[in-house]
Amino acid sequence: MKKLIDGIHRFQSGVFGAKKELFERLSKGQEPDALFITCSDSRVSPTLLTQTVPGDLFILRNAGNLVPPYGPIHGAEAAAIEYAIDVLAVRDLIICGHTHCGAMKAVLDPSSLDKLPATKGWLTYAEATRRVMTTHYRDLSNDDQLEVCIEENVLVQIEHLRTHPSVLAALASSRLRLHAWVYEIESGHVMAFDEHAGQYVPIAEAGRGVAERPDRLTATRQI
């Protein structure tokens, strides 16, 4: 805790003053460029990764960067998505997975969740991911399975996004682009799913997003 409190003191004494105009402007409202959905993992820092400043990103985080399909019970994810699109009018929506994801390890090994009932219940929103893995990738090594699972899960959650009325309406009127990213912690690289190539490619080589539904849910990979 001391580390955190010391950090607040450094922010107040050395950072805030240099950016006072920014914070004064932000106090009057927010106009973020994108909704960034990613994992709660402490190793993932959306603002550090994208080199953005306060006010640029509307951020939604949870274990496994999951998006529950739209339904009669509206949780925090549905509320954040709806608010970002219908009130803040973000133009881009990013789901960003990451390497070495503990949630995806648990998806591949459900028995590891026997003593974590809340986590087990939450990860049912990755059930389609688990089924894609058991159907298409059962012969891969453990390390390769985890890598592919992380990538496939982002695509599954993109499909879940399409069940949200605010997302569908914004896509239909070309007000929104969807992006599927995977951040490699160990290299700093970011891979983006390119719907034309049908696979993940380095982000600089990717198209504008995945707003058009890919022909198949599973990513094309060469292992």
Side-chain angles (χ1 to χ4, degrees):
M1 182 59 70
K2 183 178 185 300
K3 180 179 179 180
L4 304 184
I5 294 173
D6 289 344
I8 291 174
H9 290 321
R10 289 195 301 273
F11 167 74
Q12 292 173 334
S13 62
V15 176
F16 184 85
K19 298 181 181 293
K20 187 176 181 180
E21 290 185 6
L22 169 65
F23 291 109
E24 287 180 347
R25 175 170 57 82
L26 292 176
S27 72
K28 297 176 174 62
Q30 59 172 323
E31 296 180 351
D33 299 315
L35 169 56
F36 197 100
I37 301 175
T38 194
C39 188
S40 299
D41 195 296
S42 63
R43 297 167 293 182
V44 179
S45 174
T47 53
L48 181 63
L49 177 62
T50 58
Q51 289 296 283
T52 48
V53 298
D56 287 346
L57 296 178
F58 195 67
I59 299 173
L60 172 61
R61 305 188 68 157
N62 59 52
N65 41 268
L66 304 184
V67 177
Y70 193 81
I73 299 176
H74 305 311
E77 287 72 24
I81 291 165
E82 182 179 73
Y83 190 82
I85 295 171
D86 291 343
V87 177
L88 300 178
V90 299
R91 298 305 301 269
D92 293 281
L93 198 164
I94 302 150
I95 298 184
C96 184
H98 66 94
T99 54
H100 312 291
C101 181
M104 293 304 102
K105 290 179 182 178
V107 167
L108 292 171
D109 180 17
S111 64
S112 66
L113 298 172
D114 288 346
K115 295 182 179 181
L116 298 170
T119 306
K120 187 173 185 176
W122 172 247
L123 290 180
T124 58
Y125 294 120
E127 174 61 17
T129 304
R130 187 190 68 79
R131 294 195 183 202
V132 167
M133 294 304 301
T134 57
T135 301
H136 295 282
Y137 302 110
R138 65 174 68 233
D139 295 330
L140 296 182
S141 67
N142 289 341
D143 287 345
D144 285 342
Q145 276 199 347
L146 178 59
E147 181 180 351
V148 176
C149 184
I150 290 162
E151 295 180 350
E152 294 291 356
N153 181 63
V154 175
L155 297 182
V156 166
Q157 304 313 315
I158 289 285
E159 293 301 304
H160 289 178
L161 274 175
R162 298 181 198 277
T163 68
H164 288 249
S166 56
V167 173
L168 283 175
L171 290 174
S173 57
S174 300
R175 293 184 290 111
L176 182 70
R177 293 181 294 264
L178 304 181
H179 307 268
W181 292 1
V182 172
Y183 165 51
E184 296 180 352
I185 293 174
E186 59 271 43
S187 69
H189 295 158
V190 176
M191 306 294 286
F193 187 81
D194 187 304
E195 75 275 18
H196 300 297
Q199 62 184 3
Y200 283 85
V201 299
I203 194 166
E205 301 174 14
R208 293 175 65 89
V210 293
E212 296 298 326
R213 185 186 299 269
D215 291 336
R216 49 182 267 172
L217 181 63
T218 55
T220 301
R221 293 185 47 84
Q222 299 294 326
I223 298 295

